[in-house]
Amino acid sequence: MTALAYKYHSQRARKRKKAKLNFKALVSTGTASLNLALASVINRLPNTTSISHPKSPRHPSWFYIQNMDCKSWGSRDIVFLCIIVLSLIHVSLGAKVRHFKWEVEYMYGAPDCQEHVVMGINGQFPGPTIRAKAGDTIVVDLTNKLHTEGVVIHWHGIRQLGTPWADGTASISQCAINPGETFEYRFKVDRPGTYFYHGHYGMQRSAGLYGSLIVDMADGEKEPFHYDAEFNLLLSDWWHKSVHEQEVGLSSNPFRWIGEPQSLLINGRGQYNCSLAAKFSNSSISQCKFKGNEKCAPQVLKVRPNKTYRLRIASTTALASLNLAIKGHKMVVVEADGNHVQPFAVNDLDIYSGESYSVLLKTDQNPYKNYWVSIGVRGRDPKTNQALTLLSYSATPASKLPTTQPPVTPRWDDYNHSKAFTKSIYALMGSPQPPKTYDRRIILLNTQNRLNGFVKWAINNVSLVLPSTPYLGSIKFGLNNAFDQKSPPDNYDSSYDIMKPAPNQNTTQGSGVYSITLNTTVDVILQNANALAKDVSEIHPWHLHGHDFWVLGYGEGKFKDGDEKTFNLKNPPLRNTAVIFPFGWTALRFVADNPGVWAFHCHIEPHLHMGMGVIFAQGVHRVGQIPKEALACGLTGNKQN
Ligand SMILES: *[C@@H]1O[C@H](CO)[C@@H](O)[C@H](O)[C@H]1NC(C)=O
Ligand SMILES: *[C@@H]1O[C@H](CO)[C@@H](O)[C@H](O)[C@H]1NC(C)=O
Ligand SMILES: *[C@@H]1O[C@H](CO)[C@@H](O)[C@H](O)[C@H]1NC(C)=O
Ligand SMILES: *[C@@H]1O[C@H](CO)[C@@H](O)[C@H](O)[C@H]1NC(C)=O
Ligand SMILES: *[C@@H]1O[C@H](CO)[C@@H](O)[C@H](O)[C@H]1NC(C)=O
Ligand SMILES: *[C@@H]1O[C@H](CO)[C@@H](O)[C@H](O)[C@H]1NC(C)=O
Ligand SMILES: *[C@@H]1O[C@H](CO)[C@@H](O)[C@H](O)[C@H]1NC(C)=O
């Protein structure tokens, strides 16, 4: 008996029907042409209604410009201006408001074939995919159907220009939404790219509160690369222990670490107690047997030969750094965190929590075979099996398993491999360049410490604790008793030896804020160090809210004056998440041009829980009227604004 006995429906209509019931099933059974129809199917899902933007008044001069031929405008510059004006008009007329009604709840699910409680949205895990076009406005009416806890959702990678209260960070941009309450998130997706959304209250992301957010180019705009169809791979890791139990363990004395994940998930699906490639495994794990309709059955990527596919890959893991490979196929990286990069080919790719990539894949291999797609753990001694699925050519049934072993994930501690990949990422020519100098440099040393016996992460010796009143409200209204008024330091004691455990493990706790002058250029140097145990320094992917930053460089050991000479100011990639390697530093530059209060933190969920983050506030007096529902708690609970 074959391991994968997928049934393929010959009738397109039946496929469509199934797709409507479960959009994810479409990815697994769809043919290339069907996948092309993905966007339109998503738009027709019952919970995704598109409402046209109220039409701009037909101003006579607009009408005139719209019907003009740019060439008749004369000089080159004017023609260029004319094209820009036309494309702006095009964008504004094409933009839509996309409404969603979501209910967040705990429900039973079996992401890795074992039943546990997961967080779902409208009964789905992962949550529904949002698909929009650049310039669209997304409106999500989020109802909290949890029984006893609040909820918020962060739109990861969306800068929230002009809507800092919609960033979805509890205690920072808004109050957690109480059980039974509904909060309206309304924000613009201004740039195309591969994004995702997730819970940002406690460790709700680890509980499964996440989904994809894909923004296509605006009408009339084209990607700088070609592809025939696309797949979406949202990667995560999964624990059998509940998030509540994980949180309690992390906040206990003695400390109880969450351990390594039981499973890795691709689009919310993994296999805990069996393997699709058991005979190649070195453990005694048994072979998975699926009929195909199980919710933990892998989604097969069904492809046609001689085509180019775009894989949109995003990682919302709680802990794991991952490596993805497709047997026999190279991938060309074209997008990172919503920004185009100089295309480069790889056999495998490292992806850290909070990052996203698009890669192009040519189906140029023997179409009478299927190929393993594998995801394995990097950066920590892995105790979790690879997640596997298949790239299946249309000529070959998906039930025909490859006869060769899945790709072997590079050794977890082969950091040279990780660095080689990370350092190959450059901005595509023509991308915005960083300012040549900075106004302020903030060096952030991370250390693992103790606080009255509890284990914490601290930044410049301050472990972040969030206040009960959201910063956005307390800063705007000048409520000085809402959080620590003392700013955390811009640097650390230069005599601190980053290569050794702290001589004095004790640290401090605080809720202070880095106040950044609006429109200034800030350099952040993330400095890694030894953790509590000797010779241990971990990988930390840092994510900035409200901005992209340029990644100017990476280095080993302690950042020193003069290291800025090695910065790449020519074509550094723009990203919203960047990793610091063990015992190393990473240099970032951003322009503080987005009024609001923004978190900047390690995207590893338990690390943030243990205090590994900082808060940047900028131009809060310039923030427009904040919806009062966002501030209906703490000291802002009865403020009128
Ligand atoms: C794993 O699978 C084996 C055999 O299929 C079964 O006996 C065992 O109970 C399973 N273990 C778990 C933890 O599900
Ligand atoms: C199993 O062990 C063999 C020999 O040590 C090794 O070549 C192979 O890569 C291992 N397989 C996996 C899936 O790790
Ligand atoms: C793919 O293209 C190559 C060369 O362009 C051609 O030789 C081959 O027959 C094609 N394969 C299929 C399955 O169409
Ligand atoms: C990694 O690269 C460094 C510098 O290129 C080299 O000195 C070191 O030996 C490499 N480490 C491994 C494990 O290959
Ligand atoms: C560290 O803090 C503990 C209390 O939690 C205290 O007993 C100890 O003396 C402190 N150690 C140093 C070196 O300050
Ligand atoms: C951090 O703060 C603690 C408590 O005040 C202090 O004992 C320790 O020396 C500080 N560590 C550093 C590296 O400044
Ligand atoms: C910041 O820059 C933006 C545009 O770059 C400008 O509109 C705004 O007025 C500037 N604000 C300040 C306080 O300089």
Side-chain angles (χ1 to χ4, degrees):
M1 155 129 186
T2 55
L4 290 166
Y6 284 98
K7 293 182 189 128
Y8 286 98
H9 307 287
S10 52
Q11 275 187 355
R12 243 181 112 111
R14 272 185 69 187
K15 279 186 184 167
R16 279 238 173 94
K17 197 172 157 204
K18 199 174 166 191
K20 267 195 176 173
L21 292 173
N22 179 2
F23 143 66
K24 280 165 278 149
L26 184 76
V27 183
S28 57
T29 58
T31 62
S33 62
L34 247 165
N35 281 302
L36 278 172
L38 209 64
S40 61
V41 172
I42 293 166
N43 286 335
R44 277 187 273 112
L45 282 172
N47 59 354
T48 319
T49 52
S50 304
I51 295 168
S52 292
H53 193 65
K55 280 229 167 57
S56 317
R58 275 281 161 96
H59 197 281
S61 70
W62 278 36
F63 209 57
Y64 176 56
I65 295 170
Q66 268 187 283
N67 290 297
M68 271 203 65
D69 166 12
C70 284
K71 285 197 181 117
S72 66
W73 278 42
S75 104
R76 243 185 141 134
D77 289 350
I78 303 264
V79 168
F80 183 63
L81 192 79
C82 170
I83 289 169
I84 288 178
V85 167
L86 278 189
S87 57
L88 283 179
I89 287 172
H90 203 160
V91 168
S92 75
L93 289 183
K96 282 189 173 147
V97 178
R98 295 180 192 268
H99 270 274
F100 302 85
K101 273 197 186 314
W102 284 2
E103 294 183 349
V104 179
E105 63 192 338
Y106 282 110
M107 60 184 208
Y108 287 107
D112 62 358
C113 308
Q114 263 208 15
E115 190 173 80
H116 285 278
V117 167
V118 299
M119 281 187 108
I121 298 173
N122 294 352
Q124 295 180 46
F125 165 79
T129 296
I130 292 184
R131 187 126 200 165
K133 282 194 180 135
D136 286 354
T137 297
I138 304 293
V139 181
V140 176
D141 288 315
L142 189 78
T143 301
N144 180 351
K145 291 274 196 174
L146 309 173
H147 300 285
T148 57
E149 63 192 276
V151 73
V152 293
I153 289 187
H154 169 58
W155 315 93
H156 185 110
I158 307 300
R159 292 172 300 170
Q160 302 293 352
L161 301 176
T163 51
W165 53 81
D167 193 42
T169 44
S171 289
I172 302 169
S173 61
Q174 71 169 108
C175 303
I177 307 160
N178 287 319
E181 288 178 357
T182 300
F183 181 80
E184 181 191 87
Y185 287 101
R186 177 183 287 266
F187 57 91
K188 207 164 183 165
V189 287
D190 59 316
R191 291 177 313 170
T194 304
Y195 307 107
F196 53 101
Y197 60 83
H198 59 79
H200 214 298
Y201 181 46
M203 287 177 40
Q204 287 178 344
R205 178 161 55 92
S206 299
L209 185 52
Y210 46 73
S212 297
L213 199 177
I214 311 282
V215 184
D216 290 308
M217 301 294 270
D219 285 336
E221 307 277 304
K222 274 212 174 78
E223 297 278 12
F225 44 83
H226 161 83
Y227 55 101
D228 299 298
E230 67 175 63
F231 291 102
N232 188 29
L233 304 178
L234 183 63
L235 312 181
S236 56
D237 46 8
W238 183 247
W239 279 255
H240 291 164
K241 197 185 281 180
S242 80
V243 161
H244 298 115
E245 194 176 344
Q246 293 179 38
E247 287 171 337
V248 171
L250 295 169
S251 315
S252 287
N253 183 5
F255 178 73
R256 294 197 204 175
W257 176 239
I258 63 168
E260 297 300 313
Q262 272 65 63
S263 306
L264 302 178
L265 309 180
I266 307 174
N267 293 337
R269 291 154 176 257
Q271 299 82 39
Y272 169 63
N273 197 19
C274 68
S275 168
L276 299 176
K279 74 167 168 172
F280 299 108
S281 163
N282 288 340
S283 68
S284 57
I285 197 161
S286 61
Q287 180 71 30
C288 297
K289 296 186 173 73
F290 286 121
K291 291 193 211 77
N293 53 0
E294 293 90 346
K295 284 224 170 125
C296 62
Q299 294 176 352
V300 171
L301 313 184
K302 200 74 190 158
V303 295
R304 293 193 299 187
N306 283 354
K307 298 278 179 210
T308 301
Y309 290 85
R310 176 183 193 166
L311 306 187
R312 295 179 180 269
I313 306 160
S315 173
T316 182
T317 55
L319 175 66
S321 304
L322 300 174
N323 181 271
L324 178 145
I326 302 176
K327 192 91 173 195
H329 293 74
K330 277 198 183 301
M331 298 173 280
V332 175
V333 181
V334 293
E335 180 212 343
D337 299 355
N339 293 290
H340 292 133
V341 301
Q342 246 174 58
F344 65 104
V346 291
N347 292 316
D348 61 88
L349 129 163
D350 278 330
I351 180 165
Y352 303 94
S353 178
E355 293 186 333
S356 69
Y357 290 100
S358 281
V359 299
L360 301 180
L361 170 94
K362 272 212 162 64
T363 46
D364 54 4
Q365 297 299 303
N366 181 347
Y368 298 101
K369 282 186 174 172
N370 291 326
Y371 301 86
W372 292 115
V373 178
S374 75
I375 287 143
V377 172
R378 304 265 287 125
R380 308 181 64 88
D381 195 358
K383 308 231 166 14
T384 314
N385 288 325
Q386 280 182 328
L388 294 174
T389 186
L390 292 180
L391 184 76
S392 172
Y393 281 66
S394 51
T396 312
S399 56
K400 188 172 164 192
L401 288 178
T403 51
T404 56
Q405 146 175 28
V408 175
T409 301
R411 259 189 72 90
W412 69 273
D413 57 353
D414 182 355
Y415 293 112
N416 284 0
H417 187 92
S418 321
K419 289 172 189 172
F421 173 74
T422 304
K423 291 175 183 173
S424 312
I425 304 170
Y426 296 105
L428 187 66
M429 235 183 349
S431 302
Q433 287 192 325
K436 294 293 172 230
T437 55
Y438 61 90
D439 301 305
R440 177 172 174 187
R441 177 190 281 167
I442 302 174
I443 303 184
L444 299 177
L445 169 75
N446 75 65
T447 51
Q448 198 181 24
N449 302 85
R450 285 186 202 278
L451 189 97
N452 303 324
F454 297 93
V455 179
K456 299 285 175 193
W457 287 97
I459 305 304
N460 293 350
N461 211 21
V462 181
S463 185
L464 180 67
V465 277
L466 294 173
S468 51
T469 304
Y471 292 107
L472 187 61
S474 49
I475 297 176
K476 180 152 174 152
F477 300 123
L479 307 175
N480 294 338
N481 47 349
F483 61 92
D484 295 343
Q485 293 301 294
K486 189 168 172 276
S487 293
D490 273 18
N491 207 337
Y492 64 96
D493 176 1
S494 63
S495 68
Y496 187 89
D497 187 349
I498 65 147
M499 302 305 286
K500 296 208 178 96
N504 171 6
Q505 294 181 340
N506 287 356
T507 192
T508 64
Q509 219 166 17
S511 58
V513 164
Y514 288 89
S515 282
I516 295 174
T517 309
L518 195 60
N519 286 358
T520 56
T521 300
V522 179
D523 275 14
V524 174
I525 315 292
L526 291 165
Q527 178 67 59
N528 214 340
N530 199 105
L532 281 172
K534 204 167 169 285
D535 296 327
V536 173
S537 181
E538 297 182 9
I539 276 193
H540 303 283
W542 276 69
H543 171 62
L544 178 60
H545 291 230
H547 308 76
D548 282 347
F549 47 66
W550 289 275
V551 187
L552 301 183
Y554 301 87
E556 309 288 333
K558 203 184 257 194
F559 179 84
K560 308 177 293 300
D561 274 340
D563 278 339
E564 66 263 26
K565 289 199 203 78
T566 66
F567 285 178
N568 172 13
L569 298 176
K570 206 175 111 235
N571 57 359
L574 263 174
R575 307 207 57 167
N576 60 54
T577 305
V579 68
I580 31 173
F581 291 109
F583 299 109
W585 55 262
T586 298
L588 317 173
R589 181 167 292 179
F590 70 95
V591 178
D593 55 2
N594 190 8
V597 184
W598 308 106
F600 179 48
H601 62 91
C602 177
H603 210 258
I604 292 178
E605 191 86 318
H607 288 183
L608 176 58
H609 181 88
M610 293 160 72
M612 200 172 202
V614 296
I615 305 293
F616 292 150
Q618 48 187 269
V620 175
H621 57 286
R622 300 278 290 255
V623 171
Q625 188 168 338
I626 302 170
K628 65 178 190 311
E629 299 75 30
L631 300 178
C633 66
L635 300 175
T636 46
N638 46 19
K639 272 266 160 197
Q640 301 298 319
N641 72 104

